[in-house]
Amino acid sequence: MNNISRYLIILFLTVVAPFGLAAQNNALLERLYDTFANNCIALDCTYSIESDAVPVKGQCEIEFQGTSYKMKGGGLEIFCDGASVWIMDADVMEAVIEPVSDESQTYMSNPALLFRDMDQMFSVSGSSAAGAAMRYRLSAQKPCGVRTAVLDIDKNAVLQKAEFLMDNDCVIRIDVKSVTVLPKKENSAFAPGKISSDWVVTDLR
């Protein structure tokens, strides 16, 4: 999985994961999590990534439910059904399939682990008004690739913006264009189905 796509998946899982007792008095954040935790959610977003390298901007669509997700952006489609991850590049007709394994303790390489452990990983360090929205500041309690996060949530508990500072000092900003709540789906909806024999497939499971 290329770094841009990995970052985006991790960041969205960070947004929707539980924040534990530290968030119990943050009503909008609680409502946001409740909506995201109990539904299938589709997001349409733009993003920018600032680092020592050339700045990157783009657009992505992501749909997630629990530890399953699918994403289109950065020239790739990524699927995860909770057991396997498919990274697919239609331009070159290549796919890589990786396992989701508890054996990996590197959160940057396994976003599902970050989602699973988020209640232990982050705490809410503060909140304040940001125009018509509330701004929540999150701090990592353990190494996970993301050092701090800032979320802007409107009065209807809808995520508007997010900014993340990564451990490598990269800054990622996300503007959410739309949020759609969908009925829950079977895990099979987060797999690509049969891959054509014309594709080059590397299966690492």
Side-chain angles (χ1 to χ4, degrees):
M1 187 185 303
N2 71 14
N3 284 337
I4 293 173
S5 299
R6 190 187 308 283
Y7 281 162
L8 292 173
I9 290 293
I10 289 172
L11 299 185
F12 283 116
L13 296 184
T14 300
V15 170
V16 304
F19 292 96
L21 295 177
Q24 64 184 358
N25 295 321
N26 295 297
L28 291 177
L29 194 58
E30 287 281 309
R31 287 174 57 194
L32 175 72
Y33 170 64
D34 184 66
T35 299
F36 282 9
N38 293 292
N39 298 280
C40 179
I41 302 294
L43 297 175
D44 185 6
C45 306
T46 59
Y47 63 87
S48 65
I49 301 175
E50 297 179 6
S51 66
D52 292 337
V54 177
V56 175
K57 294 183 178 181
Q59 182 171 345
C60 67
E61 300 171 5
I62 184 167
E63 187 175 307
F64 50 82
Q65 175 182 290
T67 55
S68 299
Y69 56 84
K70 54 185 176 180
M71 172 189 163
K72 180 184 292 187
L76 299 176
E77 285 191 87
I78 302 171
F79 300 82
C80 177
D81 63 357
S84 299
V85 180
W86 292 259
I87 302 102
M88 307 183 68
D89 188 333
D91 288 341
V92 296
M93 300 181 70
E94 293 182 357
V96 176
I97 310 173
E98 302 174 346
V100 173
S101 173
D102 285 346
E103 294 177 0
S104 171
Q105 295 303 313
T106 304
Y107 290 98
M108 288 297 291
S109 66
N110 194 337
L113 292 182
L114 182 64
F115 183 92
R116 183 197 65 188
D117 297 343
M118 186 57 62
D119 58 337
Q120 306 168 36
M121 304 304 297
F122 276 81
S123 64
V124 179
S125 58
S127 62
S128 60
M134 281 295 294
R135 177 165 293 164
Y136 292 92
R137 292 175 292 279
L138 312 178
S139 298
Q141 302 303 298
K142 299 179 181 180
C144 62
V146 182
R147 192 182 308 162
T148 62
V150 179
L151 309 180
D152 285 4
I153 303 174
D154 72 13
K155 64 181 181 180
N156 296 313
V158 175
L159 180 66
Q160 294 183 323
K161 297 181 180 181
E163 179 175 307
F164 300 87
L165 175 62
M166 312 302 287
D167 281 348
N168 62 1
D169 294 325
C170 175
V171 176
I172 302 179
R173 295 181 176 89
I174 296 171
D175 286 314
V176 179
K177 297 169 61 178
S178 67
V179 179
T180 305
V181 178
L182 304 171
K184 282 199 168 183
K185 301 180 178 183
E186 297 293 330
N187 281 350
S188 59
F190 296 92
K194 186 176 181 180
I195 300 175
S196 169
S197 59
D198 295 331
W199 283 59
V200 176
V201 178
T202 302
D203 193 337
L204 303 176
R205 293 174 294 181

